[in-house]
Amino acid sequence: MPTKMPFDLLAERKRWNAGYESIDTSSQKLTEVVTPITVTWENIEVKTRKKLFSKKQKQLLNRVSGIAKPGEMVALMGARNMKGLEKNGTVKVNGTKIGKEISLISGFAQQQEIFIPTLTVDEYLMIQARLRMKANKHTRRERVDEIIEMLRLQNCRDLKIGTPGLVKGISGGEARRLTFACELLSNPSLLFADEPTSGLDSFMAASVVQILKNLANSGRTLIHQPTAELFFQFDKIIFLSMGKTAFMGTPHESVKFFADCGHPIPKLFNPPEWIQSKLSVIPNNETKSRETIGKIIEFYEKSIIHQKSIVEIRVIATTELPPYIENPGFFAETGALLKRACLDVIRSPAQMRMKLIQKVVMGLFIGSLYWQQPLDPRGVRNTNSALYFLIAELTFSTMFGIMTFMEHELPLIAREYHDGLFYVISYYISRFLSYLPLFTIDGALMIVISYWMIGLNSTWQQVAKSILISVLVEQSATSCGLFLACLFETTSLAIAFAVPASGLFALLSGLYGNTNNFPVYIRWMQWTSWCRYGFEGLVVNQWSQVDNPKWDPFYRELILKQFSFNKDNYQLDVIGLCSIVIFFYLAGYIALFIRIRLSR
């Protein structure tokens, strides 16, 4: 039901206008010229896609037409998400038919505010400028400073963005303005906004609306899905119902139109809520609701307002299009994303601190547990066990530690990709490079700490080879965890798959049984396990040269034989580990590419 308001329409309008006039907007300007554009859409049809074994399709929009001119703020009431739908019809910009290229001349400020919370406002905008502008650093700096001043973000430019409810950061109004700031960096002629004042208090909402008005006054075309409170601030209102246009005109014309068709708005009711209540299908009275809506649509299609809009759409002269937003190039966008990712990793001290502390503690624990093992049969078995536990620690904590990032970051990456800011490969390369130092140094540190505590053979070649194996094992686990994070929608699903998979890799390492004694149909699987390559590499390296003149090389053969290891396999183990790392990184990229492409 529409909401009864304790004031009349005139008082409401005066209150909002007074709020707008109280805001200082003297600094809100853009110096760069904007190419004015007129957007028209004709006979737009939207249907649900056919499901498997079903020919039924639901029609959501049926031959909808409309127009938005330069300097207009257009409210679209009843818009829907276009994901997974079939679309037909004609969209023109300045009289020229256009398709997906419309994203190259427009910006889309979404309702959901998704940022990198560890970055400051200024850092985030500078990186966004590098992704959205093909210009030198000085020009990008000027544009960012100009937009920060225009949107009044000076007081928070050096504050971290944060996450509402989790990490303290900027306010809701500042976050909403930051969303607009990102879109304005490319100086678009057309701006879409999804409920730009949703969740804001009246003053913040007034501030955002005034900013939108200034943008429209600069020659831009703005199309919104607004909240009801902003009804009279728009130049044009479009109501959709039952897949058709129920009204398109000014807010004041809408009040008169609904009065003329038999639905006058009571004095103390909110106009858009009243109108939407008349255009909504009521489940308990669906037949009567559809009949009422049908009459309103029929009345509108016969009205002078509708006839004028149809003529207006068809007589638009063809003029030049605004310049397309240029992509800065693969290396520029990869560099920008790498900087963003590295700052995010560095400013997540809990993750860095916990990983380093964990590896130091485990290095000390394993070193203490297997302290200075002697060269007798029991000492040899304990030494081999210590080598396996080093492999296990490099595997499990690393794999499960890296699988958590994608679930929270994917919405931002998908949005930026579909906005044309970068290639998926640019993001993927930057992300795994940002994790490379963290997921390399900690494992090498654990090996160095425990190495002499256990009493492993310590020629510099053996120490270097052990560190190399540890780095490759950790990178194998990292790449596998990254692949699973990209493959599955949630972290819980990725972990559910990773637990048995990592257990299988551990069983194939050789410690729990001679792999040559496994059945033929299972034996081949050992060559897919980095635990097997890593364990063999460390064992072969350990017993290749012993720091004891009384050591008989014949014992080396006996030790390796119990695991089916070969003394000449160290190089093959390194190659095997490198192959696994490359395979999982490539598989992770393919999984991420498919997920992002299917996300819209």
Side-chain angles (χ1 to χ4, degrees), residues 110 112-116 124 179 408-409 411-413 415-416:
Q110 297 192 23
Q112 187 180 16
E113 291 146 359
I114 313 172
F115 307 107
I116 303 295
Y124 190 80
T179 299
H408 304 289
E409 199 164 300
L412 174 63
I413 304 310
R415 185 176 77 184
E416 291 179 330

Side-chain angles (χ1 to χ4, degrees), residues 327-518:
N327 188 291
F330 172 78
F331 292 105
E333 66 189 30
T334 303
L337 291 170
L338 179 59
K339 180 180 179 180
R340 185 172 81 176
C342 288
L343 285 173
D344 184 44
V345 171
I346 292 169
R347 290 181 184 168
S348 301
Q351 181 186 35
M352 294 183 66
R353 187 165 51 245
M354 284 306 300
K355 276 193 65 64
L356 291 174
I357 291 174
Q358 180 188 39
K359 289 298 189 289
V360 169
V361 170
M362 288 305 298
L364 292 171
F365 176 76
I366 294 173
S368 301
L369 184 65
Y370 296 98
W371 177 267
Q372 294 296 312
Q373 292 299 309
L375 284 175
D376 56 25
R378 179 177 294 180
V380 169
R381 285 195 301 270
N382 287 344
T383 299
N384 291 335
S385 297
L387 295 176
Y388 170 79
F389 279 116
L390 290 171
I391 296 295
E393 173 59 26
L394 290 168
T395 293
F396 296 109
S397 64
T398 300
M399 183 189 295
F400 294 114
I402 202 171
M403 285 193 296
T404 58
F405 84 97
M406 182 54 69
E407 184 175 357
H408 304 289
E409 199 164 300
L410 184 68
L412 174 63
I413 304 310
R415 185 176 77 184
E416 291 179 330
Y417 168 78
H418 288 291
D419 285 346
L421 298 191
F422 50 74
Y423 301 105
V424 177
I425 188 66
S426 297
Y427 165 76
Y428 191 73
I429 290 174
S430 67
R431 216 11 162 165
F432 87 72
L433 286 178
S434 70
Y435 281 125
L436 190 61
L438 180 61
F439 285 85
T440 299
I441 295 172
D442 63 333
L445 182 62
M446 182 181 69
I447 292 290
V448 171
I449 289 172
S450 61
Y451 202 91
W452 285 274
M453 295 177 69
I454 298 171
L456 301 178
N457 297 305
S458 55
T459 64
W460 71 267
Q461 294 95 332
Q462 287 174 298
V463 175
K465 286 181 178 181
S466 294
I467 293 175
L468 175 61
I469 290 292
S470 73
V471 168
L472 291 175
V473 167
E474 189 168 20
Q475 279 303 301
S476 297
T478 301
S479 60
C480 183
L482 200 63
F483 163 65
L484 295 177
C486 295
L487 182 64
F488 293 101
E489 291 186 5
T490 63
T491 303
S492 58
L493 283 176
I495 291 175
F497 182 87
V499 169
S502 56
L504 178 62
F505 290 148
L507 287 172
L508 295 170
S509 65
L511 179 71
Y512 297 104
N514 191 309
T515 53
N516 280 348
N517 295 331
F518 289 173

Side-chain angles (χ1 to χ4, degrees), residues 211-275:
I211 289 169
L212 297 177
K213 280 182 168 290
N214 290 346
L215 294 175
N217 291 337
S218 68
R220 290 177 174 79
T221 305
L222 276 74
I223 300 178
H224 307 243
Q225 183 177 355
T227 51
E229 294 85 354
L230 305 178
F231 187 71
F232 285 104
Q233 305 307 317
F234 290 92
D235 301 297
K236 185 179 291 180
I237 299 288
I238 301 173
F239 284 101
L240 303 175
S241 183
M242 288 173 50
K244 293 186 177 182
T245 304
F247 177 79
M248 182 172 69
T250 67
H252 299 285
E253 287 174 337
S254 72
V255 174
K256 183 178 184 303
F257 168 81
F258 278 90
D260 292 343
C261 68
H263 302 285
I265 301 171
K267 184 178 180 181
L268 298 180
F269 280 86
N270 188 312
E273 289 190 12
W274 174 268
I275 293 171

Side-chain angles (χ1 to χ4, degrees), residues 106-109 180 183-184 188-193 212 215 221-223:
S106 64
F108 182 23
F180 283 101
E183 299 302 324
L184 291 175
S189 298
L190 173 64
L191 184 62
F192 296 93
L212 297 177
L215 294 175
T221 305
L222 276 74
I223 300 178

Side-chain angles (χ1 to χ4, degrees), residues 255-311:
V255 174
K256 183 178 184 303
F257 168 81
F258 278 90
D260 292 343
C261 68
H263 302 285
I265 301 171
K267 184 178 180 181
L268 298 180
F269 280 86
N270 188 312
E273 289 190 12
W274 174 268
I275 293 171
Q276 287 182 308
S277 72
K278 295 302 176 183
L279 296 176
S280 300
V281 177
I282 302 173
N284 297 332
N285 198 4
E286 186 172 337
T287 303
K288 187 176 179 180
S289 297
R290 290 184 179 277
E291 184 180 339
T292 300
I293 295 169
K295 289 180 179 180
I296 293 173
I297 293 173
E298 183 181 358
F299 190 87
Y300 170 69
E301 290 178 345
K302 293 178 180 179
S303 68
I304 296 176
I305 295 175
H306 175 65
Q307 300 305 321
K308 285 172 60 179
S309 66
I310 292 298
V311 172

